[in-house]
């Protein structure tokens, strides 16, 4: 088996008595894009700081492409590029000078790709960093990381300052990295971004990884939304196994269904269903299944995944 891009075994970090991260087991394969989700304070940045060797674990260990993140930090760093959520750059340098300098630090630059990225992210490299907005500073760091074409991109909420157009540029760049066989570890608050980009998703809660898997594997955690339209007032479906809630609105019934849908289909046979709409839970709904709505930053861009199935009867 190929050496994992990231491997954490029982990784933990305590600050005094406070557990910022507990017992994390995690593997990211070469070429895999993994999303890392959690509300503020869940331990995402702590995990990334441990992976980068910027903090010492109080338990367990982590490796980047087989190199221990603490003892073989230099070797580990040869494989990765990191983008923090906050871009602290040299204010007196221009964007171009900054990219040059960061390229020297990384030790490798795909110059043609750098030019393409500068265009794609609409960055004016002649301006001084101090004149850049937060979003533009963030772009400089993203371009610097991407242009080095690392084996592993570690991105800590990298799109926090970007507008929707630049978010598209970012998604394209991550897809390109994946197609080139690079791994991506992406911590994010933006659920639609993670949903669109990631092969697997980890959900962190109070320092513990509470879910890890593909979205398909995680869909079972939240209920299916079903909307039925009848040619008369709906029958009573509240007692059908798996149905968690029913709201009736005229000839329509809105249902939540958990587990197999067959009992509902059985209950509907013989009724005159005009329309049957079902929607798989989005990542946002999965996330809400783990947290209260107050803990989740709203993500208006979350795509609706409606499947329309015409009259069953
Ligand atoms: N140096 C430190 N000393 C004490 N506590 C810390 C330290 N660094 C982080 N913590 C605590 O550890 C917890 C996890 O923090 P972390 O920054 O990893 O969260 P996060 O998931 O990245 O949150 P955010 O989305 O807000 O960036 C928080 O409660 C934080 O206050």
């Amino acid at each position: 088996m190929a050496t994992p891009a990231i491997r954490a075994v029982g990784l933990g970090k305590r600050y005094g008595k406070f557990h910022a991260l507990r017992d994390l087991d995690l593997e990211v394969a070469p070429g895999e894009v993994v999303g890392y989700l959690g509300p503020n304070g869940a331990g995402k940045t702590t995990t990334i700081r441990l992976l980068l060797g910027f903090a010492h674990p109080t338990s367990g260990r982590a490796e980047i492409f087989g190199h221990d993140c603490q003892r073989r930090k230099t070797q580990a760093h040869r494989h990765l590029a990191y983008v923090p959520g906050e871009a602290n750059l040299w204010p007196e340098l221009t964007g171009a000078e900054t990219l040059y300098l960061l390229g020297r630090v990384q030790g490798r630059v795909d110059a043609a790709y750098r030019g393409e990225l500068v265009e794609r992210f609409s960055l004016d490299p002649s301006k001084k960093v101090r004149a850049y907005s937060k979003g533009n500073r963030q772009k400089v760091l993203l371009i610097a990381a991407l242009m080095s074409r690392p084996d592993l991109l570690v991105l800590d909420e990298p799109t926090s300052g970007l507008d929707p157009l630049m978010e598209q540029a970012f998604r394209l760049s991550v897809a390109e990295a994946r197609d080139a066989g690079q791994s991506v570890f992406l911590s994010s608050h933006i659920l639609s971004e993670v949903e669109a980009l990631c092969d697997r998703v980890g959900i962190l809660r109070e320092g513990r990884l509470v879910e890890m898997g593909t979205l398909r594997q995680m869909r079972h955690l939240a209920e299916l939304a079903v909307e039925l339209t009848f040619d008369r007032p709906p029958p009573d479906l509240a007692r059908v196994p798996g149905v968690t809630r029913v709201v009736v609105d005229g000839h329509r019934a809105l249902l939540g269904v958990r587990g197999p849908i067959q009992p509902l289909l059985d209950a509907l046979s013989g009724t005159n269903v005009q329309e049957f709409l079902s929607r798989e839970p989005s990542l946002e709904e999965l996330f809400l299944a783990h947290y209260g709505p107050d803990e989740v930053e709203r993500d208006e861009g979350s795509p609706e995944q409606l499947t329309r199935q015409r009259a069953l009867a």
Side-chain angles (χ1 to χ4, degrees):
M1 208 191 97
T3 309
I6 297 176
R7 182 158 178 262
V9 183
L11 191 66
K13 180 70 181 172
R14 257 188 302 105
Y15 292 106
K17 284 190 176 152
F18 178 75
H19 287 266
L21 185 71
R22 289 172 194 258
D23 211 19
L24 175 72
D25 293 326
L26 175 76
E27 269 197 24
V28 176
E32 196 180 21
V33 181
V34 169
Y36 203 49
L37 287 170
N40 295 127
K44 304 181 295 294
T45 301
T46 300
T47 306
I48 287 174
R49 286 174 54 76
L50 292 168
L51 294 176
L52 296 170
F54 294 167
H56 289 280
T58 41
S59 61
R61 62 198 175 79
E63 291 171 1
I64 302 290
F65 285 99
H67 301 291
D68 188 280
C69 296
Q70 298 295 319
R71 285 178 286 119
R72 291 171 62 84
K73 193 151 92 181
T74 312
Q75 291 87 340
H77 275 249
R78 286 204 187 112
H79 289 277
L80 65 83
Y82 161 59
V83 176
E86 281 289 317
N88 288 316
L89 295 167
W90 303 275
E92 290 307 317
L93 297 188
T94 64
E97 287 164 345
T98 308
L99 287 175
Y100 174 78
L101 198 63
L102 291 173
R104 293 297 296 257
V105 173
Q106 294 274 6
R108 60 194 168 221
V109 177
D110 179 336
Y113 193 42
R114 177 183 58 202
E116 203 177 317
L117 290 165
V118 166
E119 287 233 331
R120 179 181 299 169
F121 283 96
S122 307
L123 182 77
D124 177 354
S126 63
K127 278 194 180 168
K128 285 203 173 182
V129 163
R130 75 172 133 75
Y132 279 151
S133 63
K134 178 180 187 305
N136 279 323
R137 288 198 300 274
Q138 200 63 22
K139 288 181 203 174
V140 173
L141 285 182
L142 274 170
I143 294 168
L146 291 161
M147 75 185 187
S148 70
R149 295 207 186 264
D151 299 326
L152 170 65
L153 282 156
V154 178
L155 311 175
D156 193 359
E157 295 180 28
T159 57
S160 44
L162 299 189
D163 62 39
L165 267 179
M166 292 305 121
E167 170 76 31
Q168 284 308 315
F170 170 73
R171 291 185 189 194
L172 174 61
S173 308
V174 170
E176 275 177 359
R178 183 193 17 219
D179 292 347
Q182 296 165 259
S183 306
V184 182
F185 188 65
L186 168 69
S187 130
S188 178
H189 272 146
I190 304 173
L191 299 179
S192 57
E193 174 177 283
V194 171
E195 191 153 35
L197 289 174
C198 297
D199 303 312
R200 282 191 303 143
V201 178
I203 297 181
L204 203 61
R205 182 188 182 126
E206 292 169 5
R208 277 187 203 280
L209 191 66
V210 288
E211 286 298 335
M212 183 83 212
T214 63
L215 279 174
R216 183 174 284 267
Q217 287 166 342
M218 286 163 68
R219 300 266 190 226
H220 72 277
L221 296 168
E223 58 189 36
L224 195 70
V226 176
E227 184 182 326
L228 301 167
T229 309
F230 297 85
D231 64 350
R232 65 198 69 179
D236 181 12
L237 298 167
R239 273 185 275 281
V240 174
V243 171
T244 54
R245 61 191 160 83
V246 180
V247 177
V248 173
D249 174 16
H251 288 187
R252 282 192 324 143
L254 305 168
L255 278 59
V257 181
R258 209 173 267 264
I261 199 160
Q262 193 60 44
L264 175 64
L265 298 181
D266 292 344
L268 291 174
S269 70
T271 65
N272 202 359
V273 180
Q274 305 283 292
E275 193 169 66
F276 184 113
L277 281 163
S278 72
R279 188 167 60 74
E280 285 207 313
S282 65
L283 181 57
E284 180 162 6
E285 284 159 326
L286 286 171
F287 201 59
L288 281 164
H290 277 289
Y291 299 99
D294 295 344
E295 288 175 89
V296 181
E297 203 170 272
R298 302 304 298 176
D299 172 19
E300 304 300 340
S302 184
E304 289 262 290
Q305 299 161 333
L306 278 174
T307 41
R308 188 175 282 263
Q309 291 151 351
R310 283 277 158 194
L312 277 181

